Amino acid sequence: MIAALLLLARVGWGAPPASPTLPLPSAITVATARGETIIPVTLDWEAGPVVPAGTLVTALNGALRADQAWLEVVLARQSFRFLLGAPLLAFNERIQPLAGWAFQARDSLFLPLQFVTEILPEVLAERYEWDPTRYRLREIGPPVASLPAPRPAPAAPSRLPNGLLPGHVVTVDAGHGGRDPGNPGVFFPRGMTEKDVTLQVALLLRDELKQRGVKVVMTRTTDTLISLLDRAGYCTTECDLFVSLHVDALDARARRRFGDISGFHTIIIGEENTEDADRIAAMENDALRFEENSRHGTNDLDFILRNLQMNEYLRESARAAELVQDRLDDVHTGDNRGVKQSNRLAVLNTARRPAILVEMGFATNPGDARLMSNRKSQQALATSVADAIVAYLLEYERKTGIPTVGSGR
Ligand SMILES: [Zn+2]
């Protein structure tokens, strides 16, 4: 027998697909009342194992339609729409991820083998049976005429003017609040502390994000204290990013350096724990001492810090942080202090989604303090962070295979 693991030459290179758990068959059999068809399996370097769509659909007496972005397969009156070149399948008005993807090579269309081995036998179990030992798909069940009528195919989701898909959610966290003032705001106007500035910028950021079509969840909108350990939890599974806003400050004992140290940095979970990152972690975790009446205590903090369940979105958090630093650099008068990692920051350690903490500037630096307390420059800071978040979400959409407007796909 000839091993027919043919490698299709295609334009562009990428990482090879994860190797399937079962040995890859060189061909599969489709068995129906009309006869048997042997269908070759091809391993594509990028898209994974695929079968020729035309042969499969003919064998199953279905229909095949391709438009610019989608390949639609109609079987047993059900519509399956594959996004070409991206691992996504639209079925029953839902979009679900795939291990590989459909594509066109020269005049032929190919479908992921997964469609035959997993999807058809699962979603149309009354009609198709997959035998993994014999690599055989069997058509069973009633004649097509007695099957339920198909649901209408979902319309392709329309995009916002900035190219984003609607439906993104970002959690904005204004640091501190209530009886926790945050840092005293040495060079802020009289009576203004960190908690006021974080709330003012957070509310502006909320408005900027809403204008960009992003839904916003706020941890607080008033001068109230939210437990440090509860904040990241506002960013639930449907939330794309947790953004915590803070104001940095040097210790009063470092007074002589107040004029020299300025600028903004963004902290993400990681293990670098530089001196600067540790300083910030100690300063921000200190907020927990205002919570003696809450259901959390210092024991909880110890627990959170000892039992860090590593956040699985390190790369996403790092990219969001980079973009925030880039955009803030355009409007900030202080130094760009870069992205820093800490696994000792309680508010980030409780995050289970991509998460960043932005230290917008030093209240102990006169220039930074002016920038952060002035309404107009607060607006500029909020606009920059909002732009960075939109850039991050566009990249994220592109990476997950959903083409964005203007990306040329
Ligand atoms: Zn703070």
Side-chain angles (χ1 to χ4, degrees), residues 307-361:
N307 294 276
L308 170 61
Q309 178 198 327
M310 206 53 169
N311 185 298
E312 59 186 298
Y313 300 102
L314 300 185
R315 213 176 309 161
E316 286 79 8
S317 303
R319 186 58 189 145
E322 250 173 50
L323 288 163
V324 165
Q325 285 298 121
D326 278 0
R327 297 299 165 105
L328 279 179
D329 206 10
D330 297 336
V331 298
H332 210 291
T333 49
D335 292 336
N336 182 343
R337 302 172 64 86
V339 177
K340 303 209 162 71
Q341 298 180 5
S342 170
N343 57 15
R344 295 166 188 163
L345 207 46
V347 68
L348 290 183
N349 281 13
T350 50
R352 296 293 173 262
R353 299 288 300 148
I356 60 174
L357 185 146
V358 186
E359 294 283 357
M360 300 180 285

Side-chain angles (χ1 to χ4, degrees), residues 175-176 182-183 194 198 245-248 283-284 357 359:
H176 313 277
N183 82 61
E194 177 182 1
T198 60
L245 298 177
H246 286 262
V247 174
D248 209 341
M283 178 178 69
E284 301 297 0
L357 185 146
E359 294 283 357

Side-chain angles (χ1 to χ4, degrees), residues 30-37 59-61 128 136-139:
V30 169
T32 71
R34 300 172 298 279
E36 290 201 352
T37 312
L60 292 172
N61 208 16
Y128 300 107
R136 193 165 186 269
L137 184 80
R138 198 161 72 91
E139 189 181 86

Side-chain angles (χ1 to χ4, degrees), residues 249-262:
L250 292 181
D251 190 280
R253 283 164 297 184
R255 194 168 285 111
R256 274 178 304 138
R257 292 163 63 218
F258 279 2
D260 303 333
I261 306 293
S262 74

